[in-house]
Amino acid sequence: MLFTLGSFAQDQDILVKKNEFGIHVGATTGIGLSYRYWPAKIGLQLTLVPIKTDNFMWISAGITGLYSFYDSKYIRFFGYLGNHLIIYNYEVTTYDYLTGKSIERTSENNTYNIGIGPGFGFGKIVRFNFMVGYGFYDISDKLNMFPSGEIGLYYRF
């Protein structure tokens, strides 16, 4: 009996990997660098990329709730509820031929998307994630509903 318990103990991971860092692309969960924290069955994903120049600013910020249905060394099956805010500001320069002057104006377009669905993760140290679901797009201005797909590549530590 002692021999059997010893052999099972060596198969278990000594360190449970709760943190994941990588890149993520999703219409309802965010685009950019991403951090995931899985302390137990419930997890959290933060995704962010800011891009700014002199006349252009684009920010993608996502926060996603995660729930693990099944987790093993190589596979994870989970559900997600994603929130994605896109801030897009840009300057437009037009030329008024009557006055001979340039007119500069700033346009702002903010979009908020929500999505829900299942997700799958494959890999032990580097994990590829694929999430499919249904998204509600631009809910602050008008409501569009489409299927959504999200992908990510994460290093687990």
Side-chain angles (χ1 to χ4, degrees), residues 2 10 32-33 39 54 61 65-67 79 84-85 88 92 103 107 112 119-120 124 126-127 133 135 148 157:
L2 290 175
Q10 291 182 11
L33 295 176
D54 290 339
L66 306 166
Y67 184 81
H84 183 199
L85 176 64
Y88 178 44
V92 177
I103 302 169
S107 289
Y112 179 62
F120 305 92
K124 184 176 180 182
V126 176
R127 187 164 272 187
S148 72
F157 58 99

Side-chain angles (χ1 to χ4, degrees), residues 25-85:
V25 177
T28 63
T29 55
I31 298 170
L33 295 176
S34 185
Y35 171 74
R36 283 184 173 179
Y37 180 64
W38 292 89
K41 286 200 169 280
I42 296 176
L44 181 70
Q45 172 182 312
L46 302 172
T47 307
L48 177 70
V49 66
I51 298 172
K52 178 156 180 16
T53 65
D54 290 339
N55 58 357
F56 172 85
M57 181 179 70
W58 188 80
I59 297 173
S60 170
I63 184 165
T64 304
L66 306 166
Y67 184 81
S68 178
F69 297 114
Y70 175 78
D71 190 15
S72 70
K73 238 190 244 190
Y74 297 99
I75 297 172
R76 177 179 278 149
F77 173 61
F78 60 93
Y80 75 94
L81 175 63
N83 295 280
H84 183 199
L85 176 64

Side-chain angles (χ1 to χ4, degrees), residues 13-156:
D13 280 346
I14 295 170
L15 295 173
V16 177
K17 294 177 172 56
K18 296 180 179 182
N19 300 294
E20 298 179 5
F21 183 75
I23 55 173
H24 187 86
V25 177
T28 63
T29 55
I31 298 170
L33 295 176
S34 185
Y35 171 74
R36 283 184 173 179
Y37 180 64
W38 292 89
K41 286 200 169 280
I42 296 176
L44 181 70
Q45 172 182 312
L46 302 172
T47 307
L48 177 70
V49 66
I51 298 172
K52 178 156 180 16
T53 65
D54 290 339
N55 58 357
F56 172 85
M57 181 179 70
W58 188 80
I59 297 173
S60 170
I63 184 165
T64 304
L66 306 166
Y67 184 81
S68 178
F69 297 114
Y70 175 78
D71 190 15
S72 70
K73 238 190 244 190
Y74 297 99
I75 297 172
R76 177 179 278 149
F77 173 61
F78 60 93
Y80 75 94
L81 175 63
N83 295 280
H84 183 199
L85 176 64
I86 302 169
I87 299 169
Y88 178 44
N89 296 336
Y90 57 95
E91 289 182 6
V92 177
T93 304
T94 56
Y95 184 75
D96 187 357
Y97 291 104
L98 296 175
T99 62
K101 295 181 182 178
S102 295
I103 302 169
E104 292 184 10
R105 63 179 174 86
T106 302
S107 289
E108 183 175 321
N109 185 11
N110 298 333
T111 306
Y112 179 62
N113 303 332
I114 296 176
I116 189 168
F120 305 92
F122 306 99
K124 184 176 180 182
I125 303 296
V126 176
R127 187 164 272 187
F128 174 73
N129 286 272
F130 179 70
M131 301 152 66
V132 294
Y134 207 72
F136 304 92
Y137 300 91
D138 198 12
I139 64 171
S140 58
D141 186 31
K142 54 187 178 260
L143 181 63
N144 299 309
M145 298 182 296
F146 298 106
S148 72
E150 331 274 323
I151 59 171
L153 188 63
Y154 292 89
Y155 171 72
R156 300 175 69 206

